[in-house]
Amino acid sequence: MTAPKRTPLFDAHVASGAKMVDFAGWEMPIHYGSQLKEHEIVRSDAGMFDVSHMTVVDISGSDAKVWLQKLIANDVAKLGFEGKALYSGMLNDDGGVVDDLIVYLTATGYRMVINAGTTEKDLAWMDKQSAGFDVQLQVRRDLAMLAVQGPKAIEKVCAVKPALAEQIQALKVFQGLPSGDWFYARTGYTGEDGLEIMIPADQAITFFNELKAAGVAPIGLGARDTLRLEAGMNLYGHDMDETVSPLQAGMGWTIAWNPEERDFIGRKALAAQKAAGVPMKQVGLVLEGRGVLREGQKVVVDGQEGIITSGTFSPTLKHSIAIARVPASTGATAQVDLRGTLTEVRVVKMPFVRNGKKVFE
C-alpha cells in the first residue's frame, strides 16, 4: 500500500480544520466541521473546493485536433475560440465510458481535465491511441486547481483579483480565460455559477487564504457529492463506467454524430445500440416520504429491474433523491427495494436543483 498523495493545498486544509480522508489515492478534505452547512453555503453564498487531485493534460502537436476528433465522442471542431470548453466522454471500442472530461482550446493546442481515480488508466489509453499521430501530452502536476462555486462566487473572486474583474465577469458558461500561468474557467460541478481556476502549485495556498479572507468558505468532498447529485451530474465509476454507454447514462447530448465521416472510438458500437434501441435510460428518482435512496438499490418497473447509481438525502429539498439506470419503458413512477420493501418513487427529469431552487415538476 502506498501512502495517499497530497495536493499543494494540504496544509491549508489542515489549518482550516478539515477532516481528511483517502479519496482515489489522495488525502482530501471530506468536510471542515459540517457537510450540511457547507452544502448550504454553496447554494446561498460562495464556497471553494480543492480539485487539484484531478489531472490537467496539455495536448500539442500538428495532429492534436484530428487525434482528439478520434479520441472523444464530442467534436473539438466546435471549439471556436481560445478558452472555449467542451464536455465529453472518452469511449472504448464497445462504446463504454473510459472517462468523462472537459477539454479547452488553448493558444498552443488543447487542455484536458480528467478524473483523479482514472488518471493512470486514461493516460495509458491516450498514449496507446496516439500511435501514428504527431501529438504530445504534458501532464501538468505543477498546477493546482480550485473550484469556487455559488451565487456570490464570481463576485468574491473578482474582489480578490480586481485587475481581471471585467474579463472574469464577461465569461460565459463553458468559457475560459488564460492569464499568464493562471486559467479561469466558468465551469463547475454544483449546479451553481462559479469558476474552476488552475493556478501554479506554489501560489495555491496564498490564493486559498485570500479567498477565505474574502468570505469564501472551504468546502469538502461530502458537500461536493450532495451538490452534484442535486444538479443531476454524473460521477465516474458510479453513474457510468467502461461497461456503460453514454446513451444509457444521460450523456447522449455529448455525442457529436455529425459530420458522419468522423470515426471516433466507439462510434460503430453506439450506432448499433441506437439502431437496436437502447434498453436502459438514466432518470431522476424522488422519494418524498421516509427513507433514503442509496447507490446499489434495486429499481423495479413492470417486472423489469434497474439500479440506483447515486442516491442521497437532498439538503436543499429535505427529502431523498437518486440517479438511476432503468428500463427504457419506465414512465412516471417506479418502485425501489428499501430493505426488502418495494417503495413507490416518482420518476423525474433531472436536474433536481439549479441555482438553489427545485426545478423538477
Side-chain angles (χ1 to χ4, degrees):
M1 290 290 288
T2 53
K5 296 188 278 273
R6 291 177 172 179
T7 77
L9 286 157
F10 177 84
D11 290 342
H13 299 314
V14 173
S16 300
K19 176 175 168 48
M20 306 298 285
V21 298
D22 186 339
F23 177 81
W26 291 83
E27 214 167 338
M28 298 296 290
I30 188 79
H31 63 71
Y32 299 82
S34 169
Q35 177 179 329
L36 195 60
K37 190 176 170 193
E38 289 164 32
H39 180 108
E40 287 163 358
I41 285 168
V42 176
R43 288 277 177 251
S44 62
D45 192 339
M48 58 179 160
F49 306 81
D50 179 9
V51 286
S52 309
H53 59 311
M54 298 180 78
T55 303
V56 177
V57 184
D58 284 341
I59 301 162
S60 58
S62 60
D63 291 335
K65 181 179 178 179
V66 291
W67 178 68
L68 282 167
Q69 286 183 300
K70 174 195 167 192
L71 185 77
I72 65 174
N74 214 334
D75 189 356
V76 293
K78 295 178 185 176
L79 299 175
F81 55 88
E82 190 180 336
K84 186 75 183 92
L86 190 74
Y87 174 69
S88 181
M90 176 165 65
L91 311 182
N92 59 25
D93 292 323
D94 298 328
V97 183
V98 175
D99 199 8
D100 66 323
L101 52 90
I102 291 179
V103 61
Y104 301 88
L105 182 65
T106 66
T108 55
Y110 298 87
R111 171 167 285 183
M112 185 185 280
V113 181
I114 57 180
N115 282 303
T118 54
T119 292
E120 286 181 26
K121 175 189 78 167
D122 289 3
L123 292 173
W125 176 255
M126 288 157 70
D127 190 52
K128 181 182 170 189
Q129 302 306 328
S130 68
F133 289 89
D134 173 29
V135 61
Q136 290 82 46
L137 308 179
Q138 184 188 7
V139 179
R140 297 297 304 271
R141 281 288 171 221
D142 57 317
L143 296 176
M145 188 154 51
L146 264 176
V148 188
Q149 301 279 292
K152 296 182 182 171
I154 288 178
E155 171 194 322
K156 291 188 174 183
V157 171
C158 289
V160 172
K161 295 287 180 186
L164 287 172
E166 209 172 301
Q167 289 164 280
I168 290 170
Q169 285 160 352
L171 285 174
K172 291 188 168 57
V173 174
F174 262 66
Q175 288 185 7
L177 169 70
S179 174
D181 294 332
W182 291 53
F183 188 86
Y184 300 79
R186 197 165 177 181
T187 53
Y189 193 52
T190 60
E192 297 296 330
D193 201 358
L195 300 163
E196 291 181 310
I197 307 165
M198 299 169 217
I199 50 189
D202 58 3
Q203 297 174 48
I205 286 184
T206 300
F207 185 49
F208 181 97
N209 290 332
E210 287 172 343
L211 288 169
K212 209 167 142 184
V216 180
I219 311 292
L221 291 173
R224 183 170 166 82
D225 194 53
T226 52
L227 289 159
R228 71 93 192 168
L229 217 164
E230 287 185 348
M233 293 175 170
N234 282 346
L235 176 60
Y236 189 83
H238 298 260
D239 305 298
M240 76 295 196
D241 57 30
E242 293 196 25
T243 67
V244 178
S245 142
L247 296 172
Q248 299 181 330
M251 292 171 63
W253 63 277
T254 68
I255 303 164
W257 294 101
N258 291 315
E260 287 178 17
E261 59 273 16
R262 186 177 72 95
D263 188 22
F264 60 86
I265 297 166
R267 179 175 188 133
K268 288 183 181 67
L270 291 187
Q273 282 177 33
K274 214 174 168 194
V278 184
M280 306 290 277
K281 65 180 180 180
Q282 188 185 70
V283 297
L285 302 180
V286 172
L287 174 62
E288 282 155 344
R290 292 176 59 143
V292 180
L293 303 176
R294 299 274 183 214
E295 179 179 348
Q297 288 171 342
K298 188 166 65 179
V299 184
V300 180
V301 183
D302 300 329
Q304 296 177 279
E305 287 186 9
I307 191 166
I308 288 178
T309 55
S310 288
T312 195
F313 178 82
S314 160
T316 304
L317 302 171
K318 307 289 188 271
H319 59 69
S320 197
I321 57 172
I323 299 173
R325 196 158 50 248
V326 297
S329 60
T330 302
T333 62
Q335 291 179 309
V336 173
D337 186 341
L338 290 181
R339 298 185 179 179
T341 303
L342 287 179
T343 305
E344 188 151 305
V345 293
R346 289 174 55 207
V347 177
V348 302
K349 186 172 185 284
M350 293 185 292
F352 304 99
V353 175
R354 267 285 186 276
N355 304 122
K357 302 277 190 298
K358 169 183 165 179
V359 287
F360 60 89
E361 292 301 318

